Amino acid sequence: GDIYHRDLSTGTEKQLTNTLERESDPNFTSIANTITFIRDNNIFSWNLETSQLTQLSDFRPGKERPEKKPLEYESWLERDQLEYFDILARQKSVREARQRREELLEPKRPKTIYLGDQNVSNIQASPDLAFVTFALISRAKPARTIVPNYVTQSGFTEDINARTKVGAPGNTYKMGIYDLQRDTDYYVDTKQIPGIYDKPAFLKDYHKGEDAYQEKYDKPREVIIAGPVFSQDSKAVVVVRSLDNKDRWIMQANFSDGSLELLDRQHDEAWIGGPGIGWTASAGNLGWMPDGKNIWFQSEESGYSHLYTIEVDSKSKKALTSGPYEVLDAFLSKDKTHFYLMANAEGPHEQHFYRLPLEGGTPEKITSLPGGNQVVLSPDEQYLAVNYSYSNKPWELYVMENKPGAE
């Protein structure tokens, strides 16, 4: 795919790239007229005014080649030659001076980060282009399950290479940070996460032996970090999930040193999940409020999935919705003056589309037909496309105005 830029005020469209490589994930930055995009597992910035293309990262597979060091006798021989042959010493001095001059004139390039046998994903740049964040994946290689397939075109029994057994080792993940200004990379240390050493409660029931049961692991649990989700002024929030699916932490990230600060922890001895919570590598429904000081997110803290906000500096938390129902989906309106929700507030057998003020309160129901309502907003948010069904009616498509009681 290529990158295009469309001016919504004039409707004009301009193709920015035309390559055989795949470009993806275009994003605007807080720097005027600058976008970023991914190409060949690296992130680039493009200035729309000057058309300057800048590579921000340099991820490469494999390992860095070690510098060849001469043997001891070779080093002695070289020193001996330089001591007795002035012309060789002068030539060496000229070469070193030329090399220093070339290094000073060399344009600034991103640091090369070698991946070894890991894979890189989720590459993002902060809106101010100060940091590049990324995830490194160490892939497990468990034995696969072989399933025989007897009905084949060849007439011979063939193998289906299916997923591995439940409980086999899975992939492991870590989050990296590349500081463009300091030209250095480092990784988030998960030891700082509150409760990261906690064992699931059920393990105590399976404890055997005479030694006292230990409530904590010796090593931090494996996690996956989703995000970051950036504010316009480059504040960042990440969602950390334990791979045993017992904990989800929402944390503010300080990328200058890789530190994390807890905003919210949801613990569930059964399983972390549910509407708007996300799964594995997903951050779920989460974003910054228009004031840039609060984040909004969904949590099942009450036993039902509801919408909450947290003021990042004070850590004060507020429930925007409550009650014995689930918020199935949530997002901010285009003008960021209210939320839109999908919820089953009428009962588990009905799903409706609602409008909710930013400060919370009672959701205003927009759809009215009893049953299931799957809604897509028009780009200008003036109309709804509603996929509707009832217990004895198949799915049918309707269009209605975006206001309560409209038909």
Side-chain angles (χ1 to χ4, degrees):
D2 292 315
I3 305 296
Y4 289 76
H5 175 254
R6 183 179 180 87
D7 189 326
L8 297 180
S9 62
T10 63
T12 57
E13 192 173 273
K14 180 181 180 181
Q15 185 172 356
L16 304 183
T17 65
N18 185 5
T19 69
L20 297 176
E21 296 174 307
R22 181 178 182 270
E23 287 118 4
S24 62
D25 299 330
N27 283 290
F28 285 97
T29 71
S30 60
I31 299 174
N33 299 304
T34 302
I35 65 169
T36 60
F37 62 90
I38 304 297
R39 174 193 290 168
D40 194 24
N41 276 338
N42 278 295
I43 190 165
F44 295 78
S45 68
W46 180 286
N47 187 294
L48 298 173
E49 282 190 349
T50 64
S51 296
Q52 180 178 349
L53 179 67
T54 303
Q55 185 167 341
L56 303 179
S57 69
D58 185 18
F59 297 108
R60 300 187 189 184
K63 298 180 179 179
E64 183 178 8
R65 288 185 179 180
E67 184 180 353
K68 184 180 179 182
K69 295 183 178 180
L71 300 174
E72 184 177 352
Y73 83 91
E74 293 174 330
S75 298
W76 178 89
L77 182 61
E78 182 178 338
R79 290 194 302 270
D80 189 66
Q81 290 290 94
L82 293 173
E83 182 179 354
Y84 290 104
F85 292 91
D86 291 342
I87 183 63
L88 295 180
R90 287 197 298 271
Q91 289 174 347
K92 180 175 183 291
S93 177
V94 169
R95 283 198 306 272
E96 291 176 345
R98 183 188 303 118
Q99 183 177 355
R100 288 193 297 270
R101 185 169 60 252
E102 290 174 351
E103 289 175 352
L104 291 172
L105 295 175
E106 191 175 82
K108 185 180 178 182
R109 304 295 190 196
K111 177 184 178 180
T112 300
I113 299 174
Y114 290 93
L115 304 176
D117 57 359
Q118 301 175 105
N119 298 106
V120 66
S121 68
N122 194 28
I123 305 170
Q124 295 189 55
S126 59
D128 58 7
L129 299 186
F131 300 97
V132 169
T133 63
F134 55 96
L136 290 185
I137 307 171
S138 297
R139 299 203 178 275
K141 298 178 181 178
R144 310 292 290 184
T145 302
I146 304 301
V147 179
N149 183 15
Y150 299 104
V151 182
T152 64
Q153 183 173 330
S154 66
F156 292 90
T157 301
E158 298 176 3
D159 289 335
I160 300 174
N161 195 13
R163 62 161 292 164
T164 188
K165 300 289 187 180
V166 173
N171 298 339
T172 57
Y173 308 84
K174 62 179 180 179
M175 182 179 188
I177 303 161
Y178 171 48
D179 186 323
L180 279 82
Q181 296 174 349
R182 294 187 292 165
D183 195 33
T184 185
D185 64 298
Y186 38 93
Y187 296 86
V188 173
D189 187 355
T190 60
K191 296 186 184 71
Q192 63 187 297
I193 299 173
I196 193 64
Y197 292 92
D198 294 350
K199 290 182 178 178
F202 76 88
L203 288 179
K204 190 173 184 178
D205 297 334
Y206 294 87
H207 177 65
K208 296 180 179 179
E210 297 179 356
D211 295 338
Y213 177 73
Q214 302 298 318
E215 301 282 349
K216 306 285 186 182
Y217 288 112
D218 294 330
K219 296 180 180 180
R221 284 180 284 164
E222 293 290 346
V223 300
I224 184 168
I225 302 178
V229 178
F230 287 105
S231 65
Q232 286 296 314
D233 57 356
S234 292
K235 293 195 292 288
V237 169
V238 296
V239 175
V240 186
R241 293 180 63 99
S242 60
L243 293 187
D244 62 11
N245 294 296
K246 305 302 181 189
D247 282 281
R248 181 196 71 170
W249 298 267
I250 299 176
M251 310 192 79
Q252 185 174 11
N254 181 357
F255 291 137
S256 62
D257 60 7
S259 62
L260 301 175
E261 189 173 2
L262 182 65
L263 298 176
D264 182 77
R265 179 185 179 185
Q266 182 183 334
H267 176 80
D268 194 321
E269 284 295 339
W271 190 279
I272 290 290
I277 310 301
W279 301 93
T280 313
S282 168
N285 288 341
L286 181 147
W288 287 87
M289 296 289 280
D291 61 8
K293 299 178 181 179
N294 291 264
I295 61 166
W296 65 271
F297 63 98
Q298 285 184 242
S299 172
E300 285 193 333
E301 176 185 338
S302 67
Y304 296 90
S305 182
H306 280 291
L307 196 62
Y308 297 82
T309 60
I310 286 182
E311 207 281 321
V312 171
D313 291 334
S314 68
K315 312 297 184 295
S316 60
K317 182 176 176 180
K318 178 183 177 182
L320 302 186
T321 62
S322 62
Y325 66 92
E326 300 264 87
V327 174
L328 305 173
D329 195 12
F331 58 94
L332 280 169
S333 62
K334 190 175 180 180
D335 60 8
K336 300 187 185 303
T337 59
H338 52 268
F339 286 98
Y340 287 115
L341 312 178
M342 285 297 300
N344 56 11
E346 306 291 318
H349 53 282
E350 290 199 27
Q351 295 181 11
H352 285 283
F353 192 65
Y354 298 83
R355 183 185 290 114
L356 179 74
L358 292 182
E359 63 274 11
T362 303
E364 181 184 29
K365 188 170 72 170
I366 298 176
T367 53
S368 57
L369 292 175
N373 294 269
Q374 299 177 346
V375 173
V376 176
L377 269 173
S378 64
D380 60 5
E381 298 188 351
Q382 297 299 307
Y383 293 92
L384 310 180
V386 183
N387 196 22
Y388 170 74
S389 77
Y390 192 62
S391 58
N392 59 352
K393 294 181 180 179
W395 292 101
E396 292 183 320
L397 186 62
Y398 294 81
V399 176
M400 64 175 286
E401 289 186 82
N402 184 12
K403 60 182 182 181
E407 296 183 359

